[in-house]
Amino acid sequence: MDSLDARLLLLLTDSPRLNVLECARRLGVARGTVQARLDRLTEQGILGGFPPELNLAAMGYGLTAFAVLEIAQGQRTSVSEALDAIEQVCEVHATTGQGDLFVRMVARDHDDLQRVIDAVVSVPGVRRTSTSLALSTPVPPRVRPLLERLAYETNSR
């Protein structure tokens, strides 16, 4: 990935609805250059798509919780598949340390969260959970600082 790739991704991070022609205009390169780079970034797995940024609280899911799950040995795949079937489970990460899986889930209210937690703990292979509620999100999910660093480091070489 070079400086132009990073600048292109920064542009799309800020304005994901821009078309290829407008990206080319803003970057000062040919339309074909932008298209070729988008194709390459997609093929390399760097660019996975353009999902909209959704405000889950505004959609009625005002509670975010994180659970650390300890699971039975050899059950990561089956537990992960079962968690994937629970609509309010937003992310699952296999981890090292105290637990085996780190789960982010959302809920409409405390009763709804209890229902989601009950669904998680009833998954065969889940041995123990520890759940924490998020009170706020001082640093939301982001990639901009990484792209800025890549753009800057590549330019300074």
Side-chain angles (χ1 to χ4, degrees), residues 69 71-86 92 101 119-120 122-126:
L69 277 58
I71 61 173
Q73 278 193 319
Q75 298 296 308
R76 183 178 47 84
T77 300
S78 63
V79 170
S80 296
E81 289 170 355
L83 293 173
D84 186 46
I86 301 171
V92 177
L101 297 175
V120 169
S122 70
V123 169
V126 172

Side-chain angles (χ1 to χ4, degrees), residues 65-128:
F66 298 92
V68 176
L69 277 58
E70 292 179 20
I71 61 173
Q73 278 193 319
Q75 298 296 308
R76 183 178 47 84
T77 300
S78 63
V79 170
S80 296
E81 289 170 355
L83 293 173
D84 186 46
I86 301 171
E87 295 88 1
Q88 288 169 270
V89 169
C90 298
E91 292 177 65
V92 177
H93 299 271
T95 60
T96 62
Q98 287 291 93
D100 302 303
L101 297 175
F102 187 73
V103 179
R104 180 173 70 96
M105 60 190 102
V106 295
R108 294 185 180 279
D109 54 34
H110 290 99
D111 290 336
D112 190 35
L113 179 60
Q114 183 63 61
R115 185 192 58 74
V116 176
I117 291 170
D118 289 345
V120 169
V121 299
S122 70
V123 169
V126 172
R127 297 253 169 113
R128 180 181 302 235

Side-chain angles (χ1 to χ4, degrees), residues 1-145:
M1 201 164 113
D2 65 12
S3 174
L4 182 57
D5 290 335
R7 290 186 301 133
L8 174 58
L9 292 174
L10 277 168
L11 185 61
L12 290 171
T13 298
D14 291 341
S15 303
R17 296 179 65 179
L18 289 180
N19 63 34
V20 173
L21 188 59
E22 182 59 20
C23 288
R25 188 188 70 72
R26 291 188 188 188
L27 294 170
V29 299
R31 180 195 174 285
T33 300
V34 169
Q35 187 62 60
R37 286 178 179 256
L38 288 173
D39 291 345
R40 182 177 44 79
L41 291 167
T42 301
E43 288 170 13
Q44 292 175 341
I46 294 170
L47 180 61
F50 297 94
E53 182 179 323
L54 301 176
N55 181 333
L56 294 175
M59 292 172 51
Y61 294 96
L63 289 178
T64 298
F66 298 92
V68 176
L69 277 58
E70 292 179 20
I71 61 173
Q73 278 193 319
Q75 298 296 308
R76 183 178 47 84
T77 300
S78 63
V79 170
S80 296
E81 289 170 355
L83 293 173
D84 186 46
I86 301 171
E87 295 88 1
Q88 288 169 270
V89 169
C90 298
E91 292 177 65
V92 177
H93 299 271
T95 60
T96 62
Q98 287 291 93
D100 302 303
L101 297 175
F102 187 73
V103 179
R104 180 173 70 96
M105 60 190 102
V106 295
R108 294 185 180 279
D109 54 34
H110 290 99
D111 290 336
D112 190 35
L113 179 60
Q114 183 63 61
R115 185 192 58 74
V116 176
I117 291 170
D118 289 345
V120 169
V121 299
S122 70
V123 169
V126 172
R127 297 253 169 113
R128 180 181 302 235
T129 66
S130 174
T131 304
S132 299
L133 283 176
L135 299 176
S136 67
T137 306
V139 179
R142 62 195 181 137
V143 295
R144 178 174 252 302

